[in-house]
Amino acid sequence: MSRPRESERRVHRPRIRAVFTFRRNRPGHDKNRADRGPIAFGLIAPNVFATLGILVAHAYSLITHTPFELGTYVLFSVLCAAASYIAVPAVQRMAIPEASPTLPLAASLGLTFSYNVTIGIPVYIEIAKLVMRYI
């Protein structure tokens, strides 16, 4: 069996696609139009990650018999919610170097960060209170 020539070989590299970057950089996409998908992800993902963080912290508290204060749950949930916008620019830069970094940065800092500071933290406090009371 003969080996393919260098020009015939395809290089297969696994790539991690950031949601914001993938949707904006696909062929035929109008880059001046805002997509609903990334906006929805930017608003839904922090709530999901924060809730999972609260549940993980509460499970750890129950397993170790260490009662946590409300602030501990809230701080951990904010860190989990922030993971969605801290990781995107770094992953996008490594996975798709030719893509523009402006959308992930703008979406993460302009949308998700603003949401977390204004609406997210009070929501996470209420979720933590419910988890502490009923679970």
Side-chain angles (χ1 to χ4, degrees), residues 11 18 37 78 128:
V11 178
V78 169

Side-chain angles (χ1 to χ4, degrees), residues 62-80:
L62 293 175
I63 291 169
T64 61
H65 304 292
T66 307
F68 288 152
E69 298 292 326
L70 178 63
T72 305
Y73 289 111
V74 175
L75 178 61
F76 192 66
S77 69
V78 169
L79 290 173
C80 290

Side-chain angles (χ1 to χ4, degrees), residues 10-128:
R10 288 187 175 181
V11 178
H12 294 287
R13 285 185 250 160
R15 294 192 183 240
I16 300 170
R17 303 275 181 169
V19 172
F20 299 115
T21 305
F22 179 71
R23 290 184 59 85
R24 291 290 281 201
N25 290 325
R26 62 180 190 245
H29 184 265
D30 182 11
K31 295 191 185 325
N32 295 323
R33 189 177 64 91
D35 279 338
R36 290 189 181 125
I39 293 171
F41 179 82
L43 296 175
I44 294 171
N47 294 313
V48 172
F49 296 149
T51 303
L52 289 174
I54 291 170
L55 293 173
V56 167
H58 192 64
Y60 180 79
S61 171
L62 293 175
I63 291 169
T64 61
H65 304 292
T66 307
F68 288 152
E69 298 292 326
L70 178 63
T72 305
Y73 289 111
V74 175
L75 178 61
F76 192 66
S77 69
V78 169
L79 290 173
C80 290
S84 64
Y85 61 84
I86 292 172
V88 168
V91 169
Q92 178 261 326
R93 207 172 312 126
M94 288 175 18
I96 313 168
E98 65 274 3
S100 171
T102 55
L103 181 70
L105 287 172
S108 62
L109 295 176
L111 180 70
T112 310
F113 177 76
S114 303
Y115 172 79
N116 270 340
V117 170
T118 57
I119 298 170
I121 293 175
V123 170
Y124 308 152
I125 290 171
E126 294 304 316
I127 293 171

